[in-house]
Amino acid sequence: MSETPERYDIVVAGAGYVGLATAVAIADAAPGLRLLVVDAAPDGAWRRDGRASAIAAAAIRMLDRLGVWDGIADGAQPITEMIVTDSKTADVVRPVFLTFGGEASPGEPFAHMMPNVALNGALRARAEALGVAIRGGTTVTGYDEGPASIEIHLAGSGGGHLAGGETVEARLLIACDGVRSKIRDMAGIRTVHTDYGQSGIVCTVAHERPHNGRAEEHFLPSGPFAILPLKGNRSSLVWTEPTREAERLVSGDDLVFELELEQRFGHKLGRITVEGGKRAFPLGLTIARDFVKPRVALAGDAAHGIHPIAGQGLNLGFK
Ligand SMILES: Cc1cc2nc3c(=O)[nH]c(=O)nc-3n(C[C@H](O)[C@H](O)[C@H](O)COP(=O)(O)OP(=O)(O)OC[C@H]3O[C@@H](n4cnc5c(N)ncnc54)[C@H](O)[C@@H]3O)c2cc1C
C-alpha cells in the first residue's frame, strides 16, 4: 500500500527571490495555510551568489510591508542619480541623453542596490519565521492534477534532505522556477521567446574614488554597459557582449579581463580591482502565453524573463 502524501495548501517551486517573496506574502496574509517551498539547488547554494540587484522604491515598500526590508536596509546603497549615454566611459566630452535624479517621495530614493545574498537570506528568515517549510536539493519533476488537489512529484537533486523521491499533495502549485521553467513545460504552456545573442557579464569592482550614488548606463557598440553603485567604493557591473565574446572574457585570463574592463570603465573613479568571480548570463526575452493553468500558476521569470537593461526583472516578479 502506498504512503499517504504529505498535505500542503500551497507548494512553491523555486526559492529564488520571487518564490520566497510569494511564500512570505501568502503566509503573512493567510497565517493558517500550510506552505512548502522547494528548490532544486542544494541547501545553502544561494549564499554563493555574489551579485547585487537594483530594487525599485515600490518593491522596497512591499518588502518593508512584509517585514523583510528593515533588517537589510543598512547593506543597501541608494541610487540617487542615473545617467544614460551613448558615449564611452573614457570620452572627454560625454553627451548625456537622459538623467534620472531625485526621489520617489521625500527621503525615498527611486531605487537601491542590494546584494542578492542579503535579500535572499532575509526572505528565507522571514518565511521560516512565518512557518513556511523550505527544502533545498529538492526538484519538482512532475505533477498530476485532480479536481480538488494536485499531486506534486519531488526528487532529491543532491545537497538536500530528500535522497529518493516523494509525492506531496497541495491545492496549488506556484512555479517560480526561473526563466527556463520546466513546470511551465509540464503545464504545456508555450512561450514567446527571443534570444538576443548577447550575454551580460556580471562582476563587482572596487575603485579608489566614491561613486556618490550615481548609476551609469553606457550604450557601447557591443551593447549596454551598466555601472551600479554598491556600499563603499564599489560598483556592480552588467557588461553586455555577444555571447561568444562574453564567454571568452569570463573564462579567459584575469589580467586580460581587467584590461578590457578598464577600457570600458575608464579612470574617473581611479584604479579599479575586480572583486570575487565573474559570470556571463545569456540574455533573452521569454514571455509565457498563459500564466495560469488548473492548479498551477507561474510567477517571476517563469512567467516573464526580460532583458536586465533597466534592472526590472526581479521588480516585475515582485509585482
Ligand atoms: C545580468 C542580470 C542582471 C540583473 N539585474 C537585475 C536588477 O538589477 N534588478 C532586477 O529587478 N532584476 C535583475 N535581473 C533579473 C532577476 O535576476 C530575475 O528577474 C530574478 O532572479 C527572477 O527571480 P525568480 O525567483 O523568478 O527566478 P530565479 O532567481 O531564477 O530562481 C529560480 C529558482 O528555481 C529553482 N528551480 C529551478 N527548477 C526547479 C524545479 N524543477 N524544482 C524546484 N526548484 C527549481 C532554481 O534552483 C532557482 O533557485 C537581472 C538578471 C540578469 C541576467
Side-chain angles (χ1 to χ4, degrees):
M1 206 171 76
S2 64
E3 276 180 41
T4 313
E6 198 164 346
R7 281 204 184 152
Y8 293 90
D9 291 293
I10 298 171
V11 171
V12 177
Y17 319 97
V18 175
L20 290 169
T22 302
V24 167
I26 295 170
D28 181 69
L33 295 184
R34 276 199 90 204
L35 267 89
L36 170 68
V37 179
V38 296
D39 198 286
D43 275 332
W46 58 276
R47 291 182 198 277
R48 295 194 288 274
D49 186 349
R51 293 180 299 156
S53 300
I55 312 290
I60 290 172
R61 277 181 225 150
M62 182 204 81
L63 292 169
D64 193 33
R65 162 66 191 81
L66 293 176
V68 173
W69 186 252
D70 247 12
I72 52 174
D74 281 353
Q77 168 63 46
I79 302 180
T80 50
E81 186 193 3
M82 169 140 199
I83 65 154
V84 180
T85 171
D86 74 349
S87 67
K88 296 193 178 112
T89 47
D91 286 353
V92 179
V93 179
R94 296 165 55 191
V96 168
F97 285 161
L98 210 52
T99 60
F100 302 91
E103 301 167 324
S105 66
E108 186 187 28
F110 59 84
H112 283 73
M113 282 301 290
M114 171 57 79
N116 284 3
V117 74
L119 180 57
N120 195 308
L123 283 165
R124 269 167 198 272
R126 184 71 184 130
E128 282 171 345
L130 289 166
V132 176
I134 304 177
R135 290 200 211 161
T138 306
T139 302
V140 172
T141 53
Y143 68 80
D144 292 303
E145 153 229 332
S149 65
I150 178 167
E151 287 202 336
I152 300 157
H153 309 302
L154 308 175
S157 39
H161 305 288
L162 190 61
E166 182 187 339
T167 294
V168 295
E169 193 180 312
R171 290 194 282 156
L172 177 67
L173 169 63
I174 307 181
C176 301
D177 53 340
V179 73
R180 287 180 194 81
S181 170
K182 288 279 186 301
I183 298 171
R184 188 179 61 211
D185 297 344
M186 292 170 203
I189 298 175
R190 294 173 58 212
T191 59
V192 177
H193 177 74
T194 304
D195 182 347
Y196 294 130
Q198 290 190 314
S199 290
I201 301 170
V202 179
C203 67
T204 301
V205 295
H207 35 77
E208 285 175 317
R209 290 197 273 279
H211 45 55
N212 296 319
R214 179 156 116 155
E216 298 188 5
E217 184 94 59
H218 294 263
F219 283 82
L220 302 181
S222 58
F225 182 88
I227 305 173
L228 303 154
L230 298 175
K231 277 273 172 180
N233 286 358
R234 294 160 64 245
S235 294
S236 172
L237 305 185
V238 183
W239 165 9
T240 315
E241 291 286 342
T243 292
R244 191 173 289 185
E245 177 63 2
E247 280 163 6
R248 182 187 73 78
L249 284 163
V250 294
S251 60
D253 191 81
D254 284 349
L255 183 64
V256 173
F257 183 82
E258 289 206 9
L259 289 172
E260 295 268 2
L261 177 60
E262 218 168 67
Q263 280 182 17
R264 289 158 179 85
F265 195 93
H267 299 280
K268 71 178 186 327
L269 295 182
R271 223 178 89 76
I272 58 167
T273 329
V274 177
E275 274 189 354
K278 46 196 189 302
R279 244 185 100 182
F281 294 83
L283 304 178
L285 173 76
T286 306
I287 311 286
R289 287 176 184 258
D290 290 300
F291 288 179
V292 287
K293 284 277 176 177
R295 305 222 167 262
V296 178
L298 309 184
D301 277 19
H304 36 65
I306 61 170
H307 196 288
I309 190 166
Q312 287 303 311
L314 174 56
N315 288 287
L316 193 61
F318 280 154
K319 284 185 185 168

